[in-house]
Amino acid sequence: PEDIPITTIDPSFDWLDWRQLDRWNISEASVPAGVTLRFREPGLFEQYRGYILSTLALVLLQTLLIAGLLIQRRNKRRAERSLRESEERFRVMADTAPVMVWRSGPDQRCDFFNKPWLEFRGRRLQDEMGEGWTEGVHPDDLHRCLATYTAAWPGRESFRMEYRLQRADGEYRWVLDTGVPRLASDGALLGYIGSCIDMTERRQAEEAVRANAGALRQSHAAIEDLAGRLITAQEAE
């Protein structure tokens, strides 16, 4: 090797064989600026760039979809949990209310009755749900009751009606039923919610007052008739 003469490379060269650099383990960083490397073998990324980028894009898309599904699932669970909690609070509030409470869905069928209602009727919730509650309405009041209920739906109007409802002991009691519409945040009609109070004693008292008023009018008329007869008799004498 010492006999090999030193040769000065022409600094004007503008390209190098990349294969020789690789053969002699010469770093590309040592190549002067402006020198072109020829016969360079493309790397793995360069050879399969399209496939790699497509795969990465697909993986990213799948990751985003999975993340979206997980977020949607989490939000759904939160909404379901919130709905259950809201439903539980409603049931507790309704069961402790001093009146009979009912609720119907958008199909006009009742889906809830509180504890006071079930105790009054002496029946189970599943027996009263849907149209089961109508079995307790007096036959003479049923048509008017249902007509009042269904007529309120098109206009989303509140309603009040009186009808006889059968108690657990078989006695029909007069109840005052008040219903109001339930609306969603977007204005959609969710159904109705109502409350009933037993007004039998009040109705009986009103009937007694009317009967007494009628009796008083009859007594007054009889007294006036008797007074008229007495006056006529006195004038005749």
Side-chain angles (χ1 to χ4, degrees):
E2 61 272 12
D3 295 335
I4 299 175
I6 299 176
T7 302
T8 302
I9 299 177
D10 184 4
S12 63
F13 68 91
D14 58 359
W15 68 273
L16 288 174
D17 190 337
W18 179 87
R19 295 170 298 182
Q20 301 305 319
L21 294 179
D22 183 63
R23 176 183 177 184
W24 298 101
N25 295 322
I26 298 175
S27 174
E28 293 185 22
S30 62
V31 177
V35 177
T36 303
L37 294 178
R38 296 183 181 179
F39 311 111
R40 181 174 183 175
E41 296 180 2
L44 182 63
F45 178 77
E46 293 177 344
Q47 292 182 20
Y48 303 99
R49 180 176 181 177
Y51 296 102
I52 294 175
L53 292 179
S54 299
T55 302
L56 291 177
L58 181 60
V59 172
L60 178 60
L61 179 61
Q62 290 180 340
T63 302
L64 293 177
L65 289 176
I66 293 174
L69 291 175
L70 291 176
I71 294 175
Q72 184 179 9
R73 183 179 180 183
R74 183 192 61 185
N75 293 338
K76 182 179 179 181
R77 286 183 175 179
R78 287 181 178 177
E80 291 176 349
R81 182 169 62 252
S82 177
L83 182 61
R84 287 194 300 269
E85 293 174 354
S86 177
E87 182 71 14
E88 184 63 25
R89 289 193 296 269
F90 168 76
R91 290 180 180 274
V92 171
M93 179 186 67
D95 286 340
T96 55
V99 296
M100 297 182 289
V101 177
W102 57 267
R103 185 186 66 188
S104 64
D107 57 355
Q108 299 188 7
R109 296 170 61 86
C110 291
D111 57 10
F112 173 78
F113 294 91
N114 71 338
K115 186 176 180 181
W117 176 290
L118 299 178
E119 291 177 347
F120 179 89
R121 293 281 291 125
R123 284 159 57 98
R124 300 174 301 173
L125 176 61
Q126 53 266 37
D127 297 330
E128 294 291 277
M129 290 181 61
E131 298 178 353
W133 66 276
T134 59
E135 299 175 3
V137 180
H138 195 282
D140 294 341
D141 303 333
L142 181 58
H143 177 74
R144 174 176 53 81
C145 177
L146 293 178
T148 302
Y149 175 67
T150 55
W153 281 74
R156 303 181 179 185
E157 301 173 350
S158 302
F159 64 85
R160 290 166 63 92
M161 57 184 176
E162 298 179 8
Y163 57 89
R164 285 164 287 184
L165 186 65
Q166 191 175 38
R167 198 167 57 182
D169 58 3
E171 179 185 354
Y172 281 98
R173 305 283 293 181
W174 282 98
V175 297
L176 174 62
D177 194 341
T178 303
V180 294
R182 297 188 299 121
L183 302 177
S185 57
D186 59 356
L189 181 61
L190 300 177
Y192 270 74
I193 186 170
S195 61
C196 296
I197 58 173
D198 188 339
M199 54 171 298
T200 304
E201 283 74 16
R202 192 189 77 178
R203 192 178 181 92
Q204 291 174 348
E206 291 175 352
E207 292 177 353
V209 170
R210 286 194 295 268
N212 291 335
L216 289 175
R217 286 194 296 270
Q218 292 178 358
S219 299
H220 183 69
I223 292 174
E224 289 182 347
D225 181 65
L226 179 59
R229 292 181 179 181
L230 291 175
I231 293 174
T232 302
Q234 290 176 358
E235 291 178 349
E237 294 177 353

